[in-house]
Amino acid sequence: MVDVETRRVRDRGRPRSGTTLRPDLSAPEQILDAAAQLFVEGGYSATSTRAIADQVGIRQASLYYHFPSKEHILEALLMRTVSPSIGAARSLQQADADSPARLWALIAYDATQLFQAPHNVGTLYLLPEIRNERFEPFRRERKALRDIYAALIAASIATSVRVDLGPTRGSAEQSSLDYLVDVVFGMVESAIAIRADRAGDDANTLVTTIAQSCLRVLGHTDDPLRTISADGRRILAELTVAQDAAR
Amino acid sequence: MVDVETRRVRDRGRPRSGTTLRPDLSAPEQILDAAAQLFVEGGYSATSTRAIADQVGIRQASLYYHFPSKEHILEALLMRTVSPSIGAARSLQQADADSPARLWALIAYDATQLFQAPHNVGTLYLLPEIRNERFEPFRRERKALRDIYAALIAASIATSVRVDLGPTRGSAEQSSLDYLVDVVFGMVESAIAIRADRAGDDANTLVTTIAQSCLRVLGHTDDPLRTISADGRRILAELTVAQDAAR
């Protein structure tokens, strides 16, 4: 007679070779976790579904039961770098604070996510594969997040910068605003490259520096910036409490 | 008897398949140009030296005469994204302007380079291969550029931000400064991701937006920022004239 623990061990199949096994996760979650590690550390095109299955300790057929192809795994991983921030942005719309504080909180949430997710999946954003038609849904999701940023940024620019962008709210200003959105969005995503360069960084200091810097780019300084940061920190903490309660 | 033009055409070997042939370039330059295009559009690990040689229209043996391996080609390409900016920074040290204007000019030079080089080679920075010992010289060169930024940034921070970083110039401020350098360096390199996302952007507007934004992050606003930008633009133009004259 085989006791339950022994059977569970045996049912896992062949011994797992990975260093970051997560037996607490469901099968699809384990596949995503192993794939993220292999894609980030060994490269996407160099990683086979066989290697992912081996890492998890399952057969390739079991992997295909959950994900029809390697592209589906990559797509799921990429979606997870963007979708939670879209959800956070929606919740923050209800928060009791001005636009600049909401923007501060969204930036901090988004950058924390990029910096602290189990593997640095954002490094895969620039893969040539992602320009394929196949990844259009991900590009659309990332565009949706950028659009949320654009609206919040437009509502958060200080008067002095608005003057720099042009005297009217015509097409010239709209286009200058686009470049400003590019730069702020780029600053948030710079968490990816910073993490790749300097893995030991303190997440909290880095994320605060990024959020403060974005608000400075939009013209906020000194005492007003301190108020924005304090408000942003407060509504972000409220969001985190609400998310934890919903779990 | 074969005239010179016909012989030159015949000597090029097999017909070239690429769309961006540069017959005006030397053989090593043609190899680098073709490799950059194939690495960026098809992926580094998916591109063989055979494919690069085919694209140029030379034999693989001729390619190996110039570059002993694919890694050597990648290294040469990566070095070119960094070394010119180090050279520009050295020239700018002699320029008749304050540190913030020199920083403005360096940022504009560096971002222009990343945004306008024939192919978006910066997208290869996050390849897992680059973490290998083999690419230590490139990582050292990029670190040298970051150190130049760090010194210029430390000399360019406005008083109000310096106060935020801490009252003394002790280790706490040094460490806060490190994060600020990360963010500014990240903003410059965001030209890579912006180019990948929105290829049609106007380089001049984007580069100006990045440079202005970096100076805003360091606490410069309103009239002082306008003076810094004007000075930065002037010394950058002088540098460009000097570089063109030296060619």
Side-chain angles (χ1 to χ4, degrees):
Chain A
M1 191 178 158
V2 180
D3 70 33
V4 173
E5 187 50 36
T6 310
R7 186 181 302 149
R8 278 183 51 215
V9 170
R10 202 182 52 191
D11 286 352
R12 270 184 216 150
R14 78 181 77 186
R16 299 156 193 217
S17 59
T19 50
T20 60
L21 288 176
R22 302 283 308 272
D24 53 313
L25 301 178
S26 67
E29 291 294 331
Q30 285 190 49
I31 291 167
L32 290 171
D33 189 66
Q37 187 189 354
L38 292 168
F39 291 166
V40 171
E41 291 174 11
Y44 174 69
S45 69
T47 300
S48 62
T49 49
R50 171 67 183 269
I52 299 167
D54 281 355
Q55 172 95 339
V56 179
I58 58 175
R59 291 165 193 272
Q60 226 176 330
S62 313
L63 182 147
Y64 284 126
Y65 172 79
H66 297 291
F67 297 97
S69 72
K70 194 168 81 163
E71 283 80 11
H72 284 81
I73 299 176
L74 177 59
E75 185 180 27
L77 287 172
L78 291 172
M79 283 294 193
R80 285 167 172 227
T81 64
V82 172
S83 307
S85 296
I86 293 180
R90 293 214 179 98
S91 305
L92 287 169
Q93 274 171 355
Q94 323 296 329
D96 174 30
D98 292 341
S99 293
R102 285 187 203 165
L103 179 62
W104 194 102
L106 174 59
I107 291 167
Y109 182 95
D110 199 6
T112 301
Q113 244 228 160
L114 292 172
F115 200 74
Q116 295 202 311
H119 307 284
N120 197 357
V121 174
T123 58
L124 308 172
Y125 281 176
L126 295 174
L127 283 175
E129 286 84 350
I130 292 179
R131 288 196 291 271
N132 295 347
E133 185 63 31
R134 173 69 190 77
F135 291 98
E136 176 59 25
F138 162 67
R139 289 203 305 274
R140 223 181 302 128
E141 186 85 343
R142 187 155 164 272
K143 171 79 166 53
L145 179 59
R146 189 189 182 282
D147 289 345
I148 291 171
Y149 269 102
L152 260 179
I153 288 168
S156 303
I157 301 178
T159 325
S160 58
V161 175
R162 199 170 281 283
V163 169
D164 270 5
L165 291 178
T168 63
R169 293 195 55 101
S171 60
E173 179 178 350
Q174 275 318 110
S175 132
S176 302
L177 179 62
D178 254 356
Y179 289 91
L180 216 48
V181 174
D182 275 348
V183 167
V184 170
F185 203 54
M187 286 170 80
V188 177
E189 291 191 345
S190 76
I192 297 162
I194 293 170
R195 175 179 177 176
D197 280 349
R198 294 165 28 106
D201 273 14
D202 170 54
N204 192 43
T205 310
L206 176 70
V207 163
T208 303
T209 307
I210 290 177
Q212 303 273 99
S213 299
C214 288
L215 270 299
R216 279 190 191 280
V217 165
L218 302 181
H220 302 282
T221 58
D222 306 325
D223 285 341
L225 179 55
R226 271 183 279 276
T227 307
I228 292 168
S229 304
D231 283 351
R233 215 180 285 275
R234 172 178 55 78
I235 62 176
L236 182 60
E238 286 164 7
L239 172 68
T240 312
V241 169
Q243 283 187 336
D244 285 350
R247 259 185 208 115
Chain B
M1 190 179 155
V2 180
D3 71 33
V4 174
E5 187 50 37
T6 310
R7 185 181 302 150
R8 278 184 49 217
V9 170
R10 201 183 54 191
D11 285 352
R12 272 185 215 150
R14 79 181 77 187
R16 297 153 195 219
S17 58
T19 50
T20 59
L21 288 175
R22 302 283 305 274
D24 53 313
L25 301 178
S26 67
E29 292 293 331
Q30 286 190 50
I31 292 167
L32 289 172
D33 189 65
Q37 188 189 353
L38 292 168
F39 291 167
V40 170
E41 291 174 12
Y44 174 70
S45 68
T47 300
S48 63
T49 51
R50 171 67 183 269
I52 299 167
D54 281 355
Q55 171 95 339
V56 179
I58 58 174
R59 292 163 192 271
Q60 225 175 332
S62 312
L63 182 148
Y64 285 125
Y65 172 79
H66 298 291
F67 297 98
S69 72
K70 193 167 83 163
E71 282 82 9
H72 284 83
I73 298 176
L74 177 59
E75 184 180 28
L77 286 171
L78 292 171
M79 282 293 193
R80 285 167 172 227
T81 64
V82 172
S83 307
S85 296
I86 293 180
R90 293 217 177 93
S91 303
L92 288 168
Q93 274 170 356
Q94 323 296 326
D96 175 29
D98 292 342
S99 293
R102 285 187 203 164
L103 179 62
W104 193 102
L106 174 59
I107 291 167
Y109 182 96
D110 200 4
T112 302
Q113 246 231 157
L114 292 172
F115 200 73
Q116 294 202 310
H119 307 284
N120 197 357
V121 173
T123 58
L124 308 172
Y125 280 176
L126 294 174
L127 283 174
E129 285 84 350
I130 291 180
R131 289 197 290 270
N132 296 347
E133 184 64 29
R134 174 68 190 80
F135 291 97
E136 176 58 26
F138 162 67
R139 289 201 306 272
R140 222 181 303 129
E141 187 84 343
R142 188 155 164 271
K143 170 77 166 54
L145 179 58
R146 189 188 182 282
D147 289 345
I148 291 170
Y149 269 102
L152 259 178
I153 288 168
S156 302
I157 301 179
T159 324
S160 58
V161 175
R162 197 171 281 286
V163 170
D164 271 3
L165 290 177
T168 62
R169 294 194 54 101
S171 61
E173 178 177 352
Q174 275 319 110
S175 132
S176 302
L177 179 62
D178 253 357
Y179 290 92
L180 215 48
V181 174
D182 275 347
V183 167
V184 170
F185 203 55
M187 286 171 80
V188 177
E189 291 191 346
S190 74
I192 298 163
I194 293 170
R195 175 178 178 176
D197 280 348
R198 296 166 25 106
D201 272 15
D202 169 53
N204 193 44
T205 308
L206 175 70
V207 163
T208 303
T209 307
I210 290 177
Q212 304 271 98
S213 299
C214 288
L215 270 300
R216 279 192 192 278
V217 165
L218 303 181
H220 301 282
T221 58
D222 306 323
D223 284 341
L225 179 55
R226 272 184 278 277
T227 307
I228 292 168
S229 304
D231 282 352
R233 216 180 285 276
R234 172 178 55 79
I235 63 175
L236 182 59
E238 287 165 6
L239 171 68
T240 312
V241 169
Q243 283 187 335
D244 286 350
R247 259 183 208 118

